[in-house]
Amino acid sequence: EEITDAEGVSMRLVSAGVFTMGSDEGSDYEQPVHQVYLDAFYMDIYEVTNAAYKACVEEGVCTPPHNTSSSMRDSYYGNSEFDNYPVIYVGWNQANAYCEWRGASLPTEAQWEKAARGTDDRTYPWGEGISCNQANYYHGREHCVDDTTEVGSYESGKSPYGIYDLAGNVWEWVADWYSETYYQNSPSENPSGPSSGQYRVLRGGSWNYNDYVARSAYRNFYSPDDFIYDVGFRCARSIP
């Protein structure tokens, strides 16, 4: 159920099968709720860290983040104190290049959602309800934490497949182009999103967004050339 790839990154198996995608509790672009079959795949257990991304930069494949600070820290990327924190200020193309360097890819929107919510239609990766003991998000009128947290910090916030931080901490780029009407005619097996678009999808919320946004069905979108203080990513790997 768990592998470590050639770059030393741990991944967990998400088994093949059908799951429920979308939500009737959310916005129109989360509807209609529909059943999706996915082949088995592996997903990174943790969001890609500063140290993991820096290894790709040092090999000359990846380009550095567009800012080396974070919300509350003047020195973040390249500072060993934060090696095990999620990399931020990387655009979609930078994230995609990193995953390809590892022989992986960005997860599809469907892969990401199944990895987060499993097959029992849960709202959050752990089930129902949310607190600062389960995720790093914007709680009520204050932040649980005013910045990113070390990956894997929330043991009670794991998904059904043992994957951390799929709610909160940083937004995560996924492979798909965004369309608010895509669910109305998306394939029922291994959907990969529209063939083109203006924006790319992000999932999972961040430390700066509330519980509604942290839901596993919530869809966000940015330009692939946006470089933002609370956006990171993780990689997936198909099984031949």
Side-chain angles (χ1 to χ4, degrees):
E1 292 187 354
E2 186 171 324
I3 61 170
T4 301
D5 72 7
E7 302 303 328
V9 179
S10 298
M11 309 182 83
R12 292 281 294 182
L13 177 69
V14 179
S15 56
V18 175
F19 81 106
T20 301
M21 189 169 185
S23 173
D24 287 327
E25 305 301 319
S27 303
D28 290 346
Y29 49 77
E30 296 174 31
Q31 300 172 21
V33 175
H34 55 292
Q35 299 295 298
V36 173
Y37 171 86
L38 292 178
D39 294 332
F41 62 96
Y42 286 101
M43 178 81 95
D44 286 356
I45 296 177
Y46 308 109
E47 292 161 332
V48 173
T49 63
N50 284 319
Y53 189 81
K54 189 169 183 283
C56 182
V57 173
E58 290 176 342
E59 285 207 8
V61 177
C62 295
T63 55
H66 286 251
N67 193 318
T68 57
S69 66
S70 69
S71 176
M72 303 291 289
R73 306 165 184 129
D74 291 335
S75 176
Y76 181 70
Y77 176 80
N79 182 341
S80 60
E81 181 180 352
F82 302 110
D83 275 355
N84 207 35
Y85 286 61
V87 68
I88 53 177
Y89 285 113
V90 290
W92 186 93
N93 291 295
Q94 289 175 294
N96 188 58
Y98 170 86
C99 290
E100 289 182 347
W101 172 69
R102 278 181 40 203
S105 63
L106 288 170
T108 66
E109 192 171 9
Q111 286 176 329
W112 192 98
E113 187 166 330
K114 184 177 182 182
R117 69 190 311 195
T119 59
D120 56 1
D121 198 19
R122 58 183 61 190
T123 302
Y124 298 103
W126 52 86
E128 304 307 312
I130 185 172
S131 74
C132 291
N133 294 321
Q134 294 159 317
N136 179 14
Y137 72 110
Y138 185 78
H139 174 63
R141 296 184 178 180
E142 60 184 16
H143 299 94
C144 294
V145 181
D146 283 331
D147 209 328
T148 60
T149 46
E150 184 174 5
V151 300
S153 294
Y154 297 90
E155 189 66 27
S156 61
K158 291 187 297 186
S159 85
Y161 303 100
I163 299 172
Y164 290 82
D165 300 316
L166 287 164
N169 211 15
V170 293
W171 286 104
E172 299 180 14
W173 291 113
V174 298
D176 302 33
W177 290 107
Y178 174 76
S179 167
E180 65 179 13
T181 60
Y182 182 65
Y183 285 8
Q184 296 175 18
N185 53 20
S186 62
S188 60
E189 294 189 11
N190 299 309
S192 57
S195 58
S196 63
Q198 182 178 359
Y199 304 105
R200 295 285 187 176
V201 177
L202 302 97
R203 289 300 199 105
S206 80
W207 60 268
N208 201 33
Y209 282 78
N210 63 20
D211 55 340
Y212 178 82
V213 172
R215 294 176 302 112
S216 298
Y218 188 86
R219 309 173 70 208
N220 194 12
F221 57 93
Y222 288 150
S223 164
D225 296 323
D226 283 338
F227 314 105
I228 303 174
Y229 63 91
D230 64 346
V231 172
F233 68 101
R234 74 180 76 219
C235 304
R237 182 190 297 272
S238 299
I239 299 175

